[in-house]
Amino acid sequence: MQMMKKRARKITGALLAVALFTLSAIPVGAAKLPGASYSPVQLEAVQSKKMTYYKNGSASIPNTLDWITDASALKFLPLSVIGDVTSVVLDKEGVYWIGTQNGLQRVDFNASDTKDIVQYMAGPRYLYGGDNHVTGLASDEAGGIWARTASGVTHIAMPEQTMHEKSFIYEDLVQTILDRRGMVHGTSFTFTDTDNTTDAVNYNSATGVFNSTPTTSDNDGLWTTMYAMGEVFRYKALQEQYGTNPTSEQVAEINDAKAAALRATKAVLLLDYVSGRGNGFPVRSYMLTSEATAATVGNTVYGYQSTNGFWFQNFVGPDKNNPNGIIPSMQRDDGVEPIGYSMVRVTKDAENKKGSTLFPSGGTDVMNYNGLGLSQASIDELNLTRPEGQKLGIDIKTIVETTESGPVYQVLPVITAATNNSTAKEDKTTSETNKPLFQLTAPVYEQIPDFFNDLFPSSVIVDGHIDMNQIVYKADTSSDEVIGHYAMFYTAFKYLVGDSNDPELLELKSFIEETTHRMTELILKDDHYYIEDATGKSTQWSRWLGKYFNDSLSTMEKQKQWEFSVGVDKDGNDALSYGYEDAPLNALEVMGVLKTASFVTEKRYPADSLKYEMAYEQAFASSYSKEDPYVNGLGYIDMALEYVERRIVRQATNAYSDNGNEVVTMDNAGDSTNANATLHNDWTQYINYSDEELGWFPVFILVTLEQDELRHAKIVEAYDQWYSNEVREENPFYTFLYQLAHPDKTDVDLQSAVRFLYRFPEFQIEFPVEWDRQDVFYIEPGDRDKAKQTNYALAPDERRIIKHNSNPFANESQSTGVNPNYNYRTGSIEAGSVFTLPYWMGRYFEIIKE
């Protein structure tokens, strides 16, 4: 259980005692972007919304409020159009507060940004219990408002606040309730207030306490990377901007930033060691066996685990002998013997994740499925030690698909009596006395380095080492996680460690070098360009091989439908490879991987660094392969430049399939979203917003690391295609990267990106959002999320909380109606990394300044 007590920022003697860094080598005012022509945006202190919630009947509601229950103050609209207005306050600052039957509006004709003239507040974030029928308003005489509904009262205070001051709120939340052994992501929470004189809920209360028990998330390393990168830039920005003679308070703040950056970076690095496989395999996440989410039925490895995914439990020690053989891809040839093994846990994924077919030309071979079925080479090796009657793929197997020619079998990581030779499904009945017929294992070759000991409680440290028997880790790692790791490797290596002589940072540098080298070798092993898992084949999403992107492309280009951006074979059937539309993103990813690896390993592994650089240069050497033999990595920059084109092809092919295998025209289109978008070449209707977020990481690596002008220009050209949609999101995460890619541009809309920071909520609590609005135009649904969309980006404090990995325009029916018993003392909260990463990166690169 973790707690946060809201407190003022104080600098203590203890903090000053740990101020060990030196400032003598800090390059004050060093040019970050040679030739930059833009001017930094000067940030201002702006009014920020701070809510206090009072349930109807609360004795804490002040009895001195002068409630306004009429619209007589409203002068700028005719009475004929204000039928749903219930109350209007014109405060002493000239701001109109307008209560309606459908929410609260703030109208300030003097707003510095015209987009902020009208601000809309509804749902439980602003009005008690989501009761949007305002029955009365009262000014607080300080720029804020009291809003009353039948369900309760909300006080919306509007004090001025700098963005630097706002950043402390996110930092406090991370350090006290969002941090799980250095990993940072959202969590559920409870909130209490030790002030017994009030029953109101005020998250900013000095006596308020947040409690949480952070749990695993799907991509811990990716989300932690976002936080860690922000902390690295916080550290560097504060070092430089406070100069060579910082105050004691500034010294402490710099040290806070360094400690946070180091802890989060170590947490990401740890994910590349917890499996003990010794080959650089990055895990998605890990749990301790003591965590509630790690529990299994009967508390044994044979019992069902409800936390879904592909999880392994470690068994390490001299008496821990692997019950299975070691598959070829996980065998070491350097004579090192395993110190134990890890066994896959019984989960839904392990039992039935058959996967989709990858290549139109691949048939039903298990290697053509992106699920968890074992490779044939793995099956053959394991069968060498299995007795007759228990042979995998012969006696023990599951049906994953039924075709015209009969059932397709696979050997999944967990096969039980109930799933043996029958359809793959979830079996929750296993136990110590009803063990699965087969549970995949992986060797453990090495102990987790002691460098990471400080991330764990003392109960996990045994004889000076992390007790690996208390570790349960999540495999089937995605490319999302991988590119996050490399972005972290690069950022920490270049900006956190740099030329430092700090012993702790030098030790960190050594682990970054080793980890980068190991994982890159794993990706390039046998030239397969993927992350290999314990199944003997790639994980579901971590693959960057040419065939994955372009299988059947040469066939499609010969068909008449290709003229209309439809990818089919000679029989008119969809022939797009599963990874066709992933190519532009994944091409940038592997280029970012290789460029990072070459940079980080240059001194410690010079020969391999040169190998990585040559592999990277191959991306610019020629055009990519369109048929066998595919050359992995060749011409990948050309694929990166096809982002819009491949979105259009995927969309048009979907529309063609939905249209009875007919090319969509004005005469036969019908009313489907795909068809309409295809007719208008509107590729933005088919955007994967999670891909937008992932694309940011390799682009950041490449635009800040690539020095060759021609290559740099190609990378920027590729990112420009992504930004052609991102620009309308007005998000500093993308806008500031676009400015880095175009340092000569002086017309980038930095002000809208700054507005995003100004309007970003202090507490990223996942309140239901009101979408039944009269002030917004809605357009048709996006193809991927099937939800109607706003035609412009709402300010972040008027929409649902997201981490950039979903559609910011989508209306997903967040409103849940009126709930007078809404519980403001519990909920879910996200980390403020969406704010802190662009904010501190912007300050470091002098895009913004306080």
Side-chain angles (χ1 to χ4, degrees):
M1 180 72 70
Q2 293 174 290
M3 297 190 302
M4 173 192 175
K5 185 171 183 178
K6 294 302 295 176
R7 61 192 184 279
R9 301 292 295 186
K10 294 182 179 179
I11 306 303
T12 66
L15 278 176
L16 292 177
V18 298
L20 301 177
F21 67 96
T22 59
L23 293 166
S24 57
I26 298 173
V28 179
K32 306 299 189 313
L33 296 171
S37 302
Y38 63 85
S39 298
V41 175
Q42 177 68 60
L43 299 179
E44 302 173 345
V46 297
Q47 289 182 304
S48 298
K49 303 181 182 74
K50 297 176 185 287
M51 279 69 70
T52 304
Y53 307 98
Y54 302 81
K55 189 174 182 178
N56 186 35
S58 168
S60 300
I61 300 173
N63 56 16
T64 57
L65 296 175
D66 182 16
W67 291 108
I68 304 299
T69 58
D70 63 67
S72 60
L74 187 58
K75 305 298 185 184
F76 63 88
L77 288 175
L79 293 177
S80 60
V81 300
I82 61 173
D84 65 344
V85 174
T86 60
S87 54
V88 178
V89 167
L90 176 61
D91 69 20
K92 64 183 182 181
E93 296 180 352
V95 173
Y96 287 91
W97 293 90
I98 305 172
T100 76
Q101 297 173 13
N102 195 40
L104 173 67
Q105 295 184 42
R106 179 182 186 273
V107 180
D108 179 8
F109 292 109
N110 295 314
S112 59
D113 191 313
T114 57
K115 286 176 285 191
D116 290 330
I117 291 176
V118 179
Q119 298 186 31
Y120 178 76
M121 286 157 272
R125 180 184 290 162
Y126 297 112
L127 298 176
Y128 199 97
D131 186 348
N132 294 329
H133 190 136
V134 179
T135 62
L137 295 175
S139 174
D140 69 0
E141 302 300 326
I145 199 74
W146 292 83
R148 185 183 68 191
T149 71
S151 299
V153 172
T154 306
H155 177 212
I156 305 174
M158 298 285 290
E160 287 196 343
Q161 181 181 45
T162 68
M163 296 305 97
H164 193 171
E165 290 169 339
K166 184 189 282 192
S167 73
F168 287 136
I169 294 173
Y170 307 123
E171 296 298 341
D172 283 342
L173 287 165
V174 166
Q175 293 174 25
T176 53
I177 67 166
L178 294 168
D179 179 292
R180 186 174 76 98
R181 295 186 295 279
M183 295 177 289
V184 175
H185 55 80
T187 185
S188 59
F189 72 90
T190 59
F191 178 82
T192 56
D193 199 322
T194 58
D195 181 0
N196 296 322
T197 66
T198 179
D199 58 2
V201 176
N202 175 10
Y203 301 126
N204 283 290
S205 168
T207 54
V209 178
F210 282 90
N211 289 278
S212 77
T213 304
T215 58
T216 178
S217 76
D218 198 41
N219 283 307
D220 275 337
L222 176 64
W223 308 132
T224 305
T225 284
M226 291 183 68
Y227 172 71
M229 290 178 68
E231 295 308 287
V232 170
F233 289 124
R234 176 187 171 206
Y235 172 59
K236 295 300 290 183
L238 292 177
Q239 267 196 326
E240 295 186 6
Q241 292 165 22
Y242 284 160
T244 55
N245 295 296
T247 66
S248 59
E249 183 171 334
Q250 291 169 343
V251 167
E253 190 180 351
I254 293 170
N255 276 281
D256 277 350
K258 176 189 172 186
L262 183 60
R263 178 174 172 83
T265 298
K266 288 178 70 170
V268 176
L269 279 171
L270 173 64
L271 295 174
D272 303 307
Y273 289 92
V274 292
S275 71
R277 296 182 185 181
N279 63 353
F281 180 79
V283 307
R284 281 181 179 269
S285 183
Y286 76 93
M287 302 182 287
L288 299 179
T289 53
S290 58
E291 294 182 56
T293 47
T296 61
V297 176
N299 292 317
T300 76
V301 74
Y302 308 112
Y304 178 79
Q305 174 186 296
S306 60
T307 302
N308 197 31
F310 190 39
W311 292 88
F312 287 80
Q313 180 174 348
N314 287 331
F315 296 92
V316 174
D319 59 338
K320 302 297 192 298
N321 298 313
N322 193 334
N324 294 296
I326 301 176
I327 66 173
S329 62
M330 302 202 72
Q331 294 174 1
R332 293 179 62 150
D333 56 7
D334 57 2
V336 175
E337 293 296 323
I339 61 173
Y341 66 95
S342 56
M343 178 176 284
V344 71
R345 283 187 156 193
V346 183
T347 65
K348 180 179 179 180
D349 274 10
E351 293 183 278
N352 70 4
K353 196 169 186 178
K354 63 180 184 181
S356 303
T357 55
L358 301 176
F359 315 117
S361 64
T364 59
D365 183 270
V366 69
M367 298 298 282
N368 194 32
Y369 287 82
N370 65 354
L372 298 179
L374 274 64
S375 69
Q376 189 59 52
S378 301
I379 294 170
D380 292 342
E381 180 68 23
L382 294 175
N383 277 340
L384 294 177
T385 57
R386 295 184 72 89
E388 295 299 325
Q390 297 181 31
K391 297 293 186 182
L392 301 177
I394 300 172
D395 308 305
I396 298 176
K397 56 190 176 182
T398 55
I399 300 172
V400 297
E401 185 179 3
T402 300
T403 66
E404 293 181 358
S405 57
V408 176
Y409 293 95
Q410 288 185 20
V411 176
L412 294 174
V414 173
I415 301 178
T416 72
T419 61
N420 187 30
N421 284 285
S422 62
T423 304
K425 58 183 180 294
E426 192 176 17
D427 180 4
K428 300 182 180 181
T429 68
T430 58
S431 66
E432 183 79 41
T433 58
N434 180 31
K435 296 179 181 179
L437 302 179
F438 172 65
Q439 276 179 280
L440 179 64
T441 58
V444 175
Y445 284 107
E446 61 183 24
Q447 169 68 43
I448 298 172
D450 297 349
F451 178 68
F452 301 102
N453 282 15
D454 63 336
L455 296 177
F456 292 87
S458 59
S459 59
V460 184
I461 308 301
V462 177
D463 296 329
H465 302 292
I466 297 163
D467 181 10
M468 295 186 69
N469 293 301
Q470 296 187 49
I471 299 288
V472 182
Y473 67 85
K474 190 174 188 179
D476 195 27
T477 309
S478 69
S479 59
D480 311 23
E481 189 74 21
V482 172
I483 193 58
H485 285 222
Y486 275 90
M488 185 66 264
F489 300 158
Y490 165 63
T491 303
F493 189 85
K494 181 173 182 179
Y495 299 104
L496 178 59
V497 177
D499 297 325
S500 173
N501 292 317
D502 182 321
E504 190 173 27
L505 291 181
L506 289 176
E507 189 174 12
L508 176 72
K509 177 181 180 181
S510 177
F511 277 99
I512 293 173
E513 291 169 331
E514 179 180 76
T515 305
T516 303
H517 180 253
R518 283 181 166 191
M519 198 189 305
T520 311
E521 288 295 297
L522 180 63
I523 292 171
L524 297 184
K525 177 185 174 184
D526 299 327
D527 193 44
H528 54 29
Y529 274 64
Y530 57 70
I531 294 289
E532 191 168 35
D533 211 334
T535 58
K537 60 193 186 92
S538 75
T539 66
Q540 185 172 18
W541 297 111
S542 287
R543 58 174 68 87
W544 303 274
L545 56 152
K547 183 178 175 67
Y548 176 60
F549 305 134
N550 300 312
D551 187 60
S552 298
L553 183 55
S554 62
T555 298
M556 292 187 294
E557 290 179 336
K558 296 172 184 175
Q559 312 310 315
K560 65 181 186 301
Q561 291 92 334
W562 189 252
E563 178 185 348
F564 304 96
S565 300
V566 174
V568 295
D569 60 22
K570 57 184 177 57
D571 296 320
N573 297 317
D574 186 335
L576 292 178
S577 176
Y578 193 89
Y580 175 80
E581 68 178 290
D582 292 338
L585 169 61
N586 287 32
L588 289 171
E589 284 181 346
V590 78
M591 289 166 62
V593 162
L594 293 169
K595 192 65 174 174
T596 296
S598 176
F599 173 70
V600 169
T601 65
E602 182 178 11
K603 292 185 178 179
R604 184 167 172 183
Y605 305 97
D608 288 328
S609 172
L610 179 60
K611 178 179 68 176
Y612 305 149
E613 182 64 25
M614 292 175 65
Y616 167 76
E617 291 176 356
Q618 194 170 227
F620 300 89
S622 180
S623 185
Y624 60 84
S625 307
K626 296 183 178 181
E627 56 189 11
D628 285 323
Y630 295 93
V631 181
N632 293 330
L634 182 65
Y636 274 21
I637 188 62
D638 289 345
M639 287 192 295
L641 289 165
E642 293 176 352
Y643 173 62
V644 172
E645 176 185 332
R646 292 199 179 215
R647 289 286 181 206
I648 290 174
V649 169
R650 179 70 272 177
Q651 181 173 270
T653 305
N654 284 357
Y656 169 89
S657 299
D658 294 342
N659 202 39
N661 283 12
E662 292 289 337
V663 172
V664 171
T665 67
M666 292 296 292
D667 296 326
N668 67 10
D671 59 359
S672 78
T673 299
N674 249 333
N676 189 40
T678 297
L679 286 174
H680 296 90
N681 235 21
D682 183 8
W683 60 276
T684 66
Q685 291 295 81
Y686 196 72
I687 286 176
N688 182 332
Y689 285 90
S690 180
D691 283 359
E692 276 196 346
E693 178 177 57
L694 295 176
W696 187 96
F697 295 97
V699 171
F700 172 74
I701 294 168
L702 294 168
V703 300
T704 56
L705 194 51
E706 178 57 74
Q707 299 300 310
D708 181 89
E709 288 187 13
L710 294 178
R711 292 177 190 162
H712 191 276
K714 288 286 188 182
I715 293 162
V716 170
E717 183 182 352
Y719 183 56
D720 285 352
Q721 294 187 39
W722 294 77
Y723 193 69
S724 61
N725 176 70
E726 293 166 355
V727 63
R728 67 192 181 108
E729 299 175 41
E730 300 181 345
N731 187 332
F733 186 65
Y734 302 118
T735 304
F736 292 174
L737 179 60
Y738 184 74
Q739 185 71 85
L740 293 182
H742 294 278
D744 58 321
K745 277 184 173 286
T746 58
D747 59 350
V748 179
D749 186 9
L750 298 176
Q751 196 61 55
S752 290
V754 166
R755 173 179 175 261
F756 184 104
L757 298 175
Y758 288 161
R759 295 288 299 273
F760 197 74
E762 288 183 328
F763 296 94
Q764 293 287 284
I765 296 172
E766 296 178 341
F767 287 118
V769 176
E770 177 58 61
W771 286 100
D772 184 17
R773 296 174 57 163
Q774 299 173 352
D775 62 329
V776 170
F777 286 108
Y778 293 103
I779 60 176
E780 67 180 351
D783 179 74
R784 302 187 71 94
D785 43 51
K786 311 301 181 187
K788 68 179 181 180
Q789 306 172 89
T790 56
N791 70 332
Y792 68 95
L794 299 177
D797 59 358
E798 294 186 18
R799 66 188 192 210
R800 64 199 174 96
I801 300 300
I802 58 175
K803 294 184 289 198
H804 308 321
N805 59 337
S806 57
N807 186 347
F809 305 98
N811 167 354
E812 298 197 39
S813 302
Q814 293 290 300
S815 178
T816 55
V818 179
N819 178 8
N821 295 312
Y822 191 92
N823 189 355
Y824 284 94
R825 298 184 186 278
T826 187
S828 297
I829 187 169
E830 277 294 345
S833 311
V834 171
F835 177 99
T836 56
L837 172 52
Y839 171 72
W840 287 113
M841 185 185 82
R843 281 190 59 176
Y844 174 73
F845 285 105
E846 299 169 354
I847 297 171
I848 56 176
K849 65 178 181 178
E850 287 283 7

